[in-house]
Amino acid sequence: MTKGKLFKKQKNSASESSRLKQFIKSDATHFVLGLIIFMFAVYATISIVSFFFTGNDDQSKIEGLSLFHWGKVSGIQNWTGTRGAILSNTLLNEWFGIPTLFLLLFLAFVGLRLMKARYINLIKQFILCSILTLWTSLALSFFLGGFFNGTTLYIGGKHGASLSDLMKNNFGKPGTFLIIVIVLIIVMMFISSRTIPFVRKLFNLKPLAIKKPKGKNTTTPIPVEKTPEKDKGTDKPQPADEPEPVVVPVDTGDFEIVVPNGDELFPKPSTPEPQLPVVPFNIEQNKEEGEDEENLLEKLGPFDPKADLSLYRLPPIDLLQKYSQKDTQVDMVEQNDNKNRIIQTLDKFGIKIKSIKATVGPTVTLYEIIPEDGIRINKIRNLEDDIAMSLAALGIRIIAPMPGKGTIGIEVPNKDPQTVSMHSIIASRKYQESKFELPIALGRTITNEVFMVDLIKMPHLLVAGATGQGKSVGLNAAITSLLYRKHPAELKFVLIDPKMVEFSIYSIIEKHFLAKLPDSEKPIITDFTKVIYTLNSLTKEMDDRYILLEKAGSRNVQEYNEKFITRRLNPMKGHRFMPYIVVIIDEFGDLIMTAGKEIEQPIARIAQKARAVGIHMIIATQRPTTNIITGTIKANFPARLAFRVITAVDSRTILDSTGANQLIGRGDMLFFQGNDMTRIQCAFVDTPEVERISKFIGSQQAYPTAYLLPEYTGDHEDNGPSSTVSLSDLDPLFDDAARLLVIHQQGSTSLIQRKFSIGYNRAGRIVDQMELAGIVGPAQGSKPRDVYFQDEYSLEQKLNSLKRP
């Protein structure tokens, strides 16, 4: 068998496997399977109900028959026939009795979940239904089993009867009764939070107050006392914009510790928001000649972009992990040690200070010092390494002077850092009451405040940092904060993932929140050629939107959508509601190294112009070098987010200053915009949390397809040789390029591009011609193509055999 036939056979096998996977994962398959399971549960329930009326007549006829008996049995009275009579007898008598209905309820839940008719936590329901089945089976047999002796029904099934006899034999009737009650209380504790107060009320007991022992201990953290509220004259508490700091005085008059309070939590309900009585646009109800906008609005009401998915629910807060946090306390031993070491180190170099204050954050403490008069700031700034050695800590950063203050800041990592959970960010007062159009909640600052930015105002974000320092978590935090706020009609994501593993978790929300090319099979863009096509398609979308804005006389997408909602724009003339589009690129460096200008140019165009039409970009790279983050990119990305990097040069590339090289990692980052630089601890959102959010959204009603971007036809398709590729018109560099790939044994388009200094499209056409000639294999995503020739001699024979024009 030749290599070509072998490859064709492997390709067909892979194609069949792919089709099988698509069939198994398709919505239609899940819907049909769920419908079958749901209908079986209904059928079994009907057979059980019928058993109570016809069981006595059918018992003698089905006695001894198993579920797999398919012979004819005459005279069956059960409403569901012979099969239903045998099934109901098995479920009621042989299994768990009447409590079997709980298991059928669980099967119905499984069917509804597969049909995506309703989101149900199957693991929780399975545990609950199983426990209720076993407990109710035992309880019914214990309390009521004696009343059904001599009948055809085991009310708790043979399982309940056997377990009841076993427990009465071992614990007696009183012991069995107490065990049943204890299990009931434990189960109810997990079902309802009112169980414990109810039981306490029965016994008329109150929870005991725990008295704290008296006495002093210098190693014990000092609890923080809250400052009194300002507005005591009103009954309704007024939420503050920012948490009030709490000052805790200590033994000396020149040192104080500030521990900011966290935001009060306001979990946002997951129920859908009340919808206005609005009517979607209908072509037949379009504005008639001479009818003004006010009459049309009065007649039809405002247009509702959410009408197609009016039952969509925002993800509930309990999908996020809630990490246990310690009370707001100060470890005075650590704070005093750090204070004394800072003072001693400065004193060694002849620097006297007037006062020192500590602000304790979740992972970093900021010490603010005021030096004596006549001390030069540069002298303190140059002692950064000496202070770090004295404190035996990494991530020491000196801010001299503090912006807007007459102090010098020294940031020192805490020995016992706290995890900033995404749950605490989403549930915070600042996030819930935010008026931002596209809120991105990144984490908490040193003062423990929730740090949020509006992507509309940024309008694009550049993220950089070394491998493993938290970039992917930061991107997931940005996506999560948007998913918790926006409806699918208002927001679309274009997710570009050259690494192919970071964003695959969001594939399930394709028809809700993702945008892609019309001919693209995968919702997450991983192929380099598709990336180029998608970015150019976005520029076409940008241009189309600008044309619509010009026709509507609007300056930005907010004004345009407001006119469309109030029916001042005619959809018959091409007007449409414009959702925001957020483009997120996980590894920008790989794209630049592969495609160079073909990637950078459309990104630059989008960054320069797209903010007004609602298209925004977040790009991330782990290689913050000048050939990746070029001057063009930096000029159009004024907002930058830097995680820890290795060198000061990399920090200057991102932030135009040092600082990122002094971070401690694990989500420690610096946000820079304009002249302001803020140190933040990134909110932690784990993969299981993102999975739960994606599954919750994916289980709801969706649009028929993903949001389709405008078609873009390039010169090169990576899915196989283009129909225009011919061996009769070989590229002049064909032979040299073939020799290059055989020498390197790597079928890489970018290798040809870099070696011969040609564009990506021309290099792609050469590779297509090589595939057609049988020199290299087909594309394999981001992996290099297989090279079918192992040496130059056999390659030369192949090249000589090719027909030349």
Side-chain angles (χ1 to χ4, degrees):
M1 183 179 293
T2 64
K3 290 185 178 180
K5 291 183 178 179
L6 177 62
F7 166 73
K8 187 175 181 180
K9 183 176 180 181
Q10 293 175 345
K11 186 175 182 180
N12 291 336
S13 176
S15 177
E16 292 176 1
S17 175
S18 175
R19 285 196 295 268
L20 179 60
K21 289 180 181 178
Q22 290 179 357
F23 173 76
I24 295 174
K25 294 180 180 180
S26 68
D27 287 342
T29 303
H30 289 176
F31 183 86
V32 172
L33 181 60
L35 184 62
I36 293 173
I37 295 175
F38 182 81
M39 290 304 177
F40 172 78
V42 173
Y43 174 82
T45 303
I46 296 174
S47 70
I48 289 176
V49 173
S50 177
F51 182 90
F52 294 111
F53 301 96
T54 62
N56 288 331
D57 296 334
D58 294 340
Q59 191 66 26
S60 60
K61 302 171 186 176
I62 62 174
E63 188 173 359
L65 299 181
S66 70
L67 281 172
F68 303 100
H69 176 80
W70 289 92
K72 183 178 180 181
V73 180
S74 58
I76 294 297
Q77 301 296 317
N78 193 287
W79 304 336
T80 54
T82 303
R83 188 60 41 209
I86 298 175
L87 177 63
S88 59
N89 179 67
T90 302
L91 295 177
L92 288 175
N93 290 331
E94 302 296 332
W95 286 16
F96 302 101
I98 294 177
T100 306
L101 291 172
F102 288 117
L103 296 181
L104 297 180
L105 178 63
F106 173 73
L107 284 180
F109 286 157
V110 173
L112 292 174
R113 174 68 182 271
L114 287 173
M115 289 190 293
K116 295 185 178 180
R118 185 177 180 184
Y119 176 79
I120 299 169
N121 190 328
L122 293 182
I123 296 178
K124 180 180 178 181
Q125 295 300 330
F126 174 76
I127 295 173
L128 180 62
C129 291
S130 299
I131 293 176
L132 287 176
T133 300
L134 296 174
W135 181 87
T136 312
S137 174
L138 171 61
L140 289 177
S141 297
F142 178 77
F143 291 110
L144 303 177
F147 295 99
F148 290 87
N149 290 333
T151 67
T152 59
L153 175 65
Y154 287 87
I155 191 169
K158 289 185 178 180
H159 165 271
S162 301
L163 186 58
S164 176
D165 293 341
L166 179 64
M167 295 187 67
K168 284 189 290 187
N169 183 51
N170 284 276
F171 303 103
K173 290 186 178 181
T176 304
F177 173 79
L178 293 176
I179 291 174
I180 292 174
V181 172
I182 290 172
V183 174
L184 174 63
I185 293 174
I186 293 174
V187 172
M188 292 304 299
M189 284 172 57
F190 289 97
I191 295 177
S192 174
S193 60
R194 299 181 180 180
T195 302
I196 294 178
F198 176 77
V199 175
R200 281 177 178 159
K201 188 175 180 181
L202 289 179
F203 290 97
N204 196 23
L205 295 177
K206 296 181 180 179
L208 298 177
I210 301 175
K211 296 183 178 180
K212 296 183 179 180
K214 297 181 179 180
K216 295 183 179 180
N217 187 347
T218 57
T219 61
T220 303
I222 299 176
V224 177
E225 298 179 1
K226 296 184 178 180
T227 56
E229 296 181 2
K230 295 181 180 179
D231 300 329
K232 289 186 177 181
T234 58
D235 295 332
K236 185 177 179 181
Q238 302 295 327
D241 293 336
E242 302 293 344
E244 291 289 337
V246 180
V247 178
V248 182
V250 273
D251 40 1
T252 61
D254 59 352
F255 182 51
E256 64 182 18
I257 298 176
V258 178
V259 184
N261 290 332
D263 297 22
E264 185 177 355
L265 301 186
F266 287 87
K268 196 168 186 176
S270 60
T271 54
E273 300 177 357
Q275 302 290 332
L276 294 173
V278 293
V279 183
F281 264 123
N282 190 320
I283 299 300
E284 296 179 357
Q285 295 177 336
N286 189 46
K287 182 171 64 176
E288 298 177 0
E289 291 293 334
E291 185 177 10
D292 57 18
E293 291 85 354
E294 288 76 9
N295 292 338
L296 186 64
L297 180 62
E298 183 179 352
K299 179 181 177 180
L300 300 178
F303 170 74
D304 182 14
K306 304 177 184 178
D308 291 338
L309 299 183
S310 59
L311 299 179
Y312 176 81
R313 293 186 300 153
L314 295 174
I317 192 70
D318 55 9
L319 296 177
L320 294 170
Q321 179 70 31
K322 186 176 182 180
Y323 296 91
S324 58
Q325 298 290 349
K326 299 178 181 179
D327 295 334
T328 307
Q329 296 177 337
V330 181
D331 187 346
M332 287 305 305
V333 174
E334 178 184 354
Q335 302 304 327
N336 278 304
D337 285 347
N338 289 343
K339 175 202 71 171
N340 293 332
R341 288 172 182 168
I342 291 173
I343 294 175
Q344 290 171 6
T345 303
L346 295 176
D347 187 61
K348 287 179 183 179
F349 293 91
I351 299 174
K352 302 293 184 180
I353 63 173
K354 293 181 180 179
S355 65
I356 181 170
K357 182 179 74 172
T359 303
V360 183
T363 57
V364 175
T365 297
L366 172 65
Y367 294 89
E368 293 183 67
I369 64 174
I370 301 177
E372 294 283 354
D373 296 338
I375 301 296
R376 297 182 62 182
I377 292 178
N378 285 339
K379 191 173 182 181
I380 299 177
R381 189 186 290 118
N382 294 334
L383 297 178
E384 196 167 65
D385 295 336
D386 298 279
I387 296 174
M389 184 176 67
S390 174
L391 297 175
L394 296 174
I396 302 294
R397 195 170 75 100
I398 293 180
I399 310 170
M402 293 283 293
K405 299 181 180 180
T407 61
I408 296 174
I410 302 176
E411 295 175 346
V412 180
N414 298 334
K415 292 181 180 179
D416 187 18
Q418 294 184 350
T419 300
V420 177
S421 67
M422 198 67 201
H423 182 283
S424 69
I425 302 298
I426 298 298
S428 67
R429 178 196 303 241
K430 187 170 184 178
Y431 179 86
Q432 296 294 337
E433 297 180 354
S434 169
K435 303 300 182 183
F436 289 167
E437 192 68 23
L438 290 179
I440 294 183
L442 295 173
R444 292 186 181 271
T445 64
I446 289 178
T447 58
N448 211 29
E449 301 168 7
V450 173
F451 185 85
M452 291 177 56
V453 290
D454 192 352
L455 190 57
I456 297 292
K457 298 177 181 178
M458 296 172 67
H460 311 288
L461 178 62
L462 172 64
V463 183
T467 303
Q469 302 305 316
K471 292 190 307 301
S472 296
V473 175
L475 294 178
N476 284 331
I479 295 173
T480 300
S481 58
L482 291 173
L483 291 177
Y484 266 89
R485 179 59 66 89
K486 307 304 288 185
H487 187 277
E490 302 172 309
L491 174 66
K492 302 297 176 183
F493 290 100
V494 175
L495 300 180
I496 298 175
D497 183 15
K499 294 189 289 188
M500 299 190 292
V501 294
E502 296 297 340
F503 290 151
S504 59
I505 198 171
Y506 296 106
S507 298
I508 194 172
I509 62 173
E510 171 188 356
K511 296 180 180 179
H512 295 84
F513 280 102
L514 300 189
K516 65 177 185 179
L517 293 172
D519 61 341
S520 179
E521 295 181 1
K522 298 180 180 180
I524 311 299
I525 300 110
T526 58
D527 183 80
F528 291 121
T529 306
K530 291 293 185 183
V531 173
I532 296 173
Y533 289 1
T534 302
L535 292 175
N536 282 282
S537 175
L538 283 166
T539 61
K540 190 174 186 304
E541 171 77 8
M542 176 184 71
D543 294 336
D544 293 344
R545 290 188 173 200
Y546 267 113
I547 294 172
L548 293 177
L549 258 65
E550 182 184 13
K551 292 180 179 178
S554 302
R555 295 178 300 173
N556 54 53
V557 71
Q558 293 88 355
E559 292 182 6
Y560 178 90
N561 283 339
E562 193 274 333
K563 289 182 179 181
F564 191 83
I565 289 174
T566 54
R567 299 188 184 271
R568 287 181 284 169
L569 299 176
N570 190 345
M572 290 290 289
K573 297 181 180 178
H575 290 291
R576 54 191 169 91
F577 183 83
M578 296 183 189
Y580 292 107
I581 299 178
V582 178
V583 185
I584 303 180
I585 305 177
D586 182 48
E587 186 42 66
F588 175 67
D590 280 353
L591 299 179
I592 288 292
M593 293 297 291
T594 302
K597 294 294 183 182
E598 293 184 83
I599 290 289
E600 185 177 356
Q601 288 175 354
I603 287 179
R605 278 205 67 206
I606 294 171
Q608 289 168 355
K609 294 181 57 180
R611 64 175 300 179
V613 292
I615 302 177
H616 305 273
M617 300 193 73
I618 302 175
I619 64 175
T621 180
Q622 64 184 9
R623 290 181 285 186
T625 56
T626 53
N627 61 330
I628 301 297
I629 304 177
T630 63
T632 303
I633 296 297
K634 290 179 67 174
N636 292 290
F637 284 79
R640 302 166 202 166
L641 192 63
F643 291 84
R644 184 173 183 267
V645 295
I646 305 303
T647 66
V649 175
D650 290 343
S651 178
R652 291 190 185 96
T653 303
I654 309 166
L655 303 173
D656 296 327
S657 66
T658 59
N661 56 310
Q662 298 161 324
L663 300 175
I664 60 176
R666 297 179 63 84
D668 191 17
M669 59 187 180
L670 290 172
F671 177 80
F672 173 78
Q673 186 173 18
N675 296 322
D676 298 329
M677 190 177 298
T678 308
R679 191 167 184 174
I680 309 164
Q681 177 60 38
C682 182
F684 178 70
V685 53
D686 205 358
T687 302
E689 299 175 70
V690 179
E691 286 180 345
R692 290 195 292 268
I693 295 170
S694 298
K695 288 180 180 178
F696 177 84
I697 295 174
S699 66
Q700 301 186 59
Q701 181 186 1
Y703 294 108
T705 63
Y707 184 85
L708 298 181
L709 299 172
E711 291 187 6
Y712 175 80
T713 304
D715 298 328
H716 170 62
E717 287 285 350
D718 207 23
N719 293 329
S722 172
S723 58
T724 60
V725 174
S726 172
L727 295 181
S728 62
D729 186 19
L730 293 178
D731 192 280
L733 294 176
F734 181 85
D735 291 1
D736 292 336
R739 295 185 187 101
L740 176 69
L741 297 190
V742 170
I743 291 173
H744 289 272
Q745 284 297 298
Q746 182 180 2
S748 170
T749 305
S750 59
L751 178 62
I752 298 174
Q753 179 188 1
R754 293 195 300 270
K755 181 66 175 178
F756 298 105
S757 300
I758 60 176
Y760 188 80
N761 288 338
R762 183 181 177 186
R765 284 194 297 271
I766 294 175
V767 173
D768 274 349
Q769 290 176 338
M770 290 187 191
E771 180 183 351
L772 198 62
I775 297 175
V776 298
Q780 304 180 72
S782 62
K783 296 180 180 179
R785 297 170 182 252
D786 293 331
V787 180
Y788 292 152
F789 290 85
Q790 306 300 320
D791 56 80
E792 290 187 74
Y793 177 76
S794 57
L795 173 65
E796 291 298 333
Q797 291 182 321
K798 178 65 177 178
L799 294 177
N800 292 332
S801 67
L802 294 176
K803 294 181 180 180
R804 303 293 170 161

